[in-house]
Amino acid sequence: MRSNRELSINTLRGLACLLLVAYHVVGSEATNGLRISDGIYRNLNDVLMYLRMPLFTFLSGVVYAYRPFREGVANFMQKKARRLLLPMLTVGTAFALLQAITPGTNSSISNWLLLHIQPVAHFWFIESLFLVFVLIVVLEKLNAFSSSGRWAAVFIGSAALYVSPLYSQYFSFSGFLYLLPYFLLGMGVQRYDAFKKINSGLIAVAMCATLAVLFFIYHQWVPSFGKRALPSLLLGVLACLCLLSIGFKSTLLAKIGVFSYSIYLFHVFFTAVPRIVFGKFGIDLDVVFFTSLVAGIMGPIVLELVLARFNLTRVLLLGKAPHRKPKVSDKPALLPLMPLRQANAR
């Protein structure tokens, strides 16, 4: 049962990776990526705004619920800082520098003195997620999730903050408010076994139908919702729950999903190359898009396999714990032990 659930979660992680990389390949209309102003790529990119980062965050909440905080605040936060903040500082800074000196790109840094105080490009998500974990630890210590009713109260509070006018670009605080409800949702669904209490098939059908109606309403009559509007939250929540309740499994997507963090960190280093090179030769848009998409997925996977072999890069660039040094007792004997009877004979 656990392996099937992990396959489903990693499948959704892989899907989230595809959506994220595709988003940065297409980019915005004026400042980055392919700068497409209309057509199917542009339309899909805009619509999937309600799913990309909500899905990443929702799945983070689900995974956290497998191994939630129990005790040892310092140890827990140290591990989260290593896993999140260290790669953000090293890889994020490298990205900012490379973007500033590479022809054909647009630097996202307006004030280098505020580097990472004001988030760097897509690395805002990592900074925001760290703030989410800080709050989660506090709430866990206060027993705010000791029952589903208490969790619901916290979730409603996070939704109120989500739609509030509170805003600050410093330390990605606004991003924290944006991610918090989705993380709590994923954590709650897993911790309280929400889908075991109701037929998941019926949930999937009902949610997908509701989601389709809301998307139709949105595009027909209200085309100006922002990311932190209540309809946007509703769309994101329903989309995440719908995908999880379907229980879709794909071995290929799951294999991609295992490397989701590295793909998030490094995909931008790989998607830009085909776009810039092919753009100079007038290569067909579809070829550029799919080549950049594949590069943005495969490049980080190969890179992680290399970086994970060495403790320095493993820690600084991936945020993983260093390889454990074998103890003396772990070392295999140089020669097999001689059978006792044979030893006595000699």
Side-chain angles (χ1 to χ4, degrees):
M1 182 66 70
R2 177 69 180 272
S3 60
N4 286 335
R5 190 59 182 270
E6 286 179 351
L7 179 60
S8 178
I9 296 300
N10 281 329
T11 295
L12 293 182
R13 278 176 157 179
L15 175 62
C17 288
L18 290 179
L19 297 180
L20 174 73
V21 176
Y23 166 73
H24 283 117
V25 171
V26 175
S28 65
E29 295 184 27
T31 59
N32 55 58
L34 293 172
R35 304 176 189 177
I36 302 171
S37 59
D38 54 25
I40 186 171
Y41 291 129
R42 174 82 274 140
N43 294 334
L44 284 175
N45 229 25
D46 292 343
V47 168
L48 291 172
M49 173 183 73
Y50 305 104
L51 179 58
R52 278 185 300 265
M53 302 321 299
L55 182 57
F56 260 114
T57 314
F58 174 78
L59 294 174
S60 296
V62 172
V63 172
Y64 165 78
Y66 284 137
R67 294 169 55 183
F69 168 79
R70 296 299 184 191
E71 57 184 14
V73 174
N75 183 56
F76 181 85
M77 294 313 304
Q78 180 182 9
K79 290 180 178 179
K80 291 303 177 186
R82 183 196 67 215
R83 183 62 168 155
L84 297 172
L85 297 186
L86 196 54
M88 181 199 75
L89 291 171
T90 54
V91 181
T93 301
F95 171 76
L97 292 171
L98 186 63
Q99 191 182 46
I101 64 176
T102 302
T105 62
N106 294 286
S107 177
S108 57
I109 306 301
S110 57
N111 187 344
W112 287 89
L113 294 177
L114 297 177
L115 187 68
H116 298 299
I117 296 175
Q118 294 180 345
V120 175
H122 66 290
F123 296 94
W124 70 267
F125 172 78
I126 301 174
E127 199 165 358
S128 296
L129 190 59
F130 181 79
L131 294 181
V132 169
F133 278 115
V134 171
L135 178 62
I136 291 297
V137 168
V138 174
L139 294 175
E140 293 277 22
K141 295 289 286 185
L142 295 174
N143 294 318
F145 307 124
S146 58
S147 67
S148 58
R150 289 190 173 191
W151 166 85
V154 174
F155 177 78
I156 292 172
S158 72
L161 291 172
Y162 181 100
V163 300
S164 73
L166 290 175
Y167 173 84
S168 175
Q169 63 178 326
Y170 297 110
F171 299 106
S172 198
F173 180 75
S174 294
F176 156 73
L177 298 180
Y178 174 61
L179 299 183
L180 183 59
Y182 300 113
F183 186 95
L184 290 169
L185 180 69
M187 183 194 74
V189 166
Q190 177 61 32
R191 178 173 289 192
Y192 306 110
D193 292 327
F195 290 155
K196 289 184 178 179
K197 299 176 181 178
I198 307 175
N199 185 287
S200 59
L202 294 177
I203 293 176
V205 171
M207 287 183 177
C208 290
T210 305
L211 189 62
V213 171
L214 286 173
F215 269 126
F216 175 78
I217 292 174
Y218 169 79
H219 284 288
Q220 290 296 320
W221 291 298
V222 194
S224 58
F225 289 145
K227 288 174 61 177
R228 283 178 56 190
L230 184 58
S232 302
L233 177 61
L234 185 59
L235 286 171
V237 165
L238 286 173
C240 290
L241 292 177
C242 181
L243 285 172
L244 186 65
S245 61
I246 289 173
F248 172 61
K249 301 178 184 66
S250 165
T251 303
L252 177 60
L253 285 178
K255 289 181 178 179
I256 293 174
V258 170
F259 296 91
S260 60
Y261 189 47
S262 291
I263 291 173
Y264 192 91
L265 284 171
F266 298 108
H267 71 276
V268 288
F269 293 95
F270 295 93
T271 56
V273 176
R275 174 176 56 81
I276 294 173
V277 173
F278 289 175
K280 295 181 178 180
F281 296 97
I283 303 296
D284 182 75
L285 178 63
D286 292 334
V287 175
V288 177
F289 174 80
F290 285 105
T291 303
S292 299
L293 180 63
V294 171
I297 295 294
M298 295 306 299
I301 291 176
V302 174
L303 186 61
E304 176 176 337
L305 294 175
V306 175
L307 296 178
R309 297 177 60 188
F310 310 100
N311 276 342
L312 182 62
T313 53
R314 180 183 177 86
V315 174
L316 288 179
L317 302 180
L318 299 177
K320 292 187 174 184
H323 290 297
R324 184 177 68 90
K325 293 183 179 180
K327 298 179 182 178
V328 175
S329 58
D330 294 337
K331 295 181 180 179
L334 296 178
L335 294 174
L337 293 177
M338 184 179 297
L340 181 60
R341 185 176 299 174
Q342 185 179 351
N344 292 334
R346 291 190 176 185

